[in-house]
């Protein structure tokens, strides 16, 4: 019996931490196969910074998506919002000669508007979040395709490129932005009323409503925040790639697997 209990504990531990164990195995294998001239290329600072920069947009989206998942909902529109924000921000610069930072703000605002629309419809109607965000996903994708005509909207400028591919010291700018947003989001979830309300609504919507929590307001704010994250990720991605591209709308397809 003692042996059986021990095996069950080990199995429970492996199930609980299987993602972390898989990550450690991947890192160890990548480390062992990337030794060149006695130096570990994989664990070098430049490579780590490149990896973090490459995943920064996904990380930023994941922060907003995490809040939505805690609510027990989903947002399928993030990939298309990334494309729409990126192409509009790039278009404002290349087609209309707008100030680069103003154009980026407009790109982020597009994400906020779509997120707010999602939140408003979901919180005020009985339409499931899957259907609402599937609709806005296709609308945003269509708008970005019409706006670009299927061609990249290029911006060749060091100032434009700095947000997505620039550095502050040894740290890529997108990584710094991701870390700042992560810290702010952790504080929101653990140190504010809205954070506790998000957990309450996700745990039991009916109980949260009877407790006096405005469920509709919480959902509206969370979807707006997710739109903000998607808009910001779209601008960063367009900056890193020197262009806004319609096909970025496939960027968020990984969330369809959740």
């Amino acid at each position: 019996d003692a042996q059986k209990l021990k095996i069950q504990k080990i199995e429970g531990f492996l199930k609980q931490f299987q993602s972390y164990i898989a990550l450690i195995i991947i890192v160890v294998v990548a480390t062992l196969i990337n030794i060149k001239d006695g130096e570990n290329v994989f664990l070098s600072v430049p490579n780590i910074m490149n990896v973090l920069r490459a995943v920064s947009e996904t990380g930023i989206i994941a922060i907003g998506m995490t809040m939505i998942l805690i609510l027990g909902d989903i947002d399928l529109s993030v990939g298309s919002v990334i494309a729409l924000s990126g192409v509009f921000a790039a278009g404002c610069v290349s087609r209309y000669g707008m100030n680069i930072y103003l154009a980026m703000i407009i790109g982020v605002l597009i994400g906020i508007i779509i997120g707010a629309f999602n939140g408003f419809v979901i919180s005020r109607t009985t339409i499931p979040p899957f259907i609402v965000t599937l609709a806005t996903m296709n609308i945003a994708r269509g708008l970005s395709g019409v706006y670009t005509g299927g061609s990249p909207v290029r911006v060749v400028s060091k100032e434009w490129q700095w947000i997505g591919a620039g550095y502050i010291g040894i740290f890529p700018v997108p990584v710094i932005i991701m870390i700042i947003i992560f810290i702010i989001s952790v504080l929101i979830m653990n140190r504010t009323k809205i954070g506790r309300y998000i957990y309450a609504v996700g745990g039991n919507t009916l109980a949260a409503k009877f407790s006096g929590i405005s469920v509709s307001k919480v959902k509206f704010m969370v979807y707006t925040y997710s739109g903000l994250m998607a808009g910001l990720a779209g601008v960063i991605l367009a900056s890193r790639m020197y262009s806004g591209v319609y096909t970025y709308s496939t960027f968020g397809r990984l969330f369809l697997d959740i």
Side-chain angles (χ1 to χ4, degrees):
D1 288 341
Q3 186 70 20
K4 196 173 183 181
L5 185 62
K6 191 175 181 181
I7 293 172
Q8 287 176 347
K9 285 184 177 179
I10 293 172
E11 288 178 349
F13 176 83
L14 292 174
K15 286 181 180 178
Q16 185 177 358
F17 297 100
Q18 57 185 343
S19 299
Y20 299 103
I21 294 169
L23 177 62
I24 291 170
I25 292 172
I26 291 170
V27 171
V28 169
V29 172
T31 300
L32 293 175
I33 64 176
N34 282 282
I35 296 175
K36 187 176 181 181
D37 298 329
E39 293 185 9
N40 196 307
V41 180
F42 181 76
L43 293 179
S44 64
V45 173
N47 186 63
I48 291 173
M49 290 299 126
N50 282 333
V51 171
L52 288 174
R53 181 175 60 182
V55 301
S56 58
E57 295 92 1
T58 305
I60 290 170
I61 299 171
I63 291 169
M65 186 63 71
T66 298
M67 292 186 180
I68 288 178
L69 292 177
I70 290 172
L71 278 179
D73 290 348
I74 195 166
D75 185 355
L76 303 180
S77 66
V78 288
S80 296
V81 173
I82 285 174
L84 188 61
S85 299
V87 298
F88 264 90
C92 285
V93 176
S94 65
R95 296 181 179 180
Y96 314 126
M98 191 178 291
N99 176 274
I100 286 174
Y101 296 106
L102 179 58
M104 288 182 173
I105 291 171
I106 290 173
V108 174
L109 283 174
I110 288 171
I112 293 173
I113 291 168
I114 295 175
F117 176 80
N118 285 336
F120 179 81
V121 175
I122 290 166
S123 63
R124 299 293 177 179
T125 69
T126 57
I127 304 174
F130 185 93
I131 301 301
V132 175
T133 57
L134 182 65
T136 51
M137 176 187 77
N138 286 291
I139 291 169
R141 183 179 297 174
L143 287 173
S144 59
V146 170
Y147 183 75
T148 61
S151 302
V153 183
R154 300 192 180 279
V155 181
V156 183
S157 165
K158 287 186 177 180
E159 200 175 6
W160 169 267
Q161 172 262 350
W162 186 79
I163 291 290
Y167 283 83
I168 296 177
I170 63 169
F171 299 101
V173 174
V175 175
I176 295 173
I177 294 172
M178 179 181 68
I179 291 171
I180 291 171
I181 292 172
F182 175 77
I183 292 170
I184 292 171
S185 300
V186 168
L187 291 175
I188 290 171
M189 294 300 294
N190 294 285
R191 294 284 185 257
T192 66
K193 283 185 179 180
I194 185 64
R196 292 192 290 273
Y197 290 169
I198 291 169
Y199 282 114
V201 173
N204 191 319
T205 303
L206 192 60
K209 189 178 292 185
F210 285 146
S211 299
I213 297 172
S214 176
V215 174
S216 59
K217 183 184 285 187
V218 171
K219 289 195 173 188
F220 176 80
M221 292 178 70
V222 171
Y223 273 95
T224 302
Y225 193 72
S226 177
L228 167 63
M229 295 298 103
L232 182 60
V235 169
I236 292 172
L237 183 62
S239 170
R240 182 160 66 88
M241 304 303 291
Y242 289 93
S243 60
V245 182
Y246 158 69
T247 53
Y248 291 166
S249 59
T250 62
F251 186 85
R253 280 188 179 174
L254 70 155
F255 294 111
L256 293 173
D257 298 328
I258 294 175

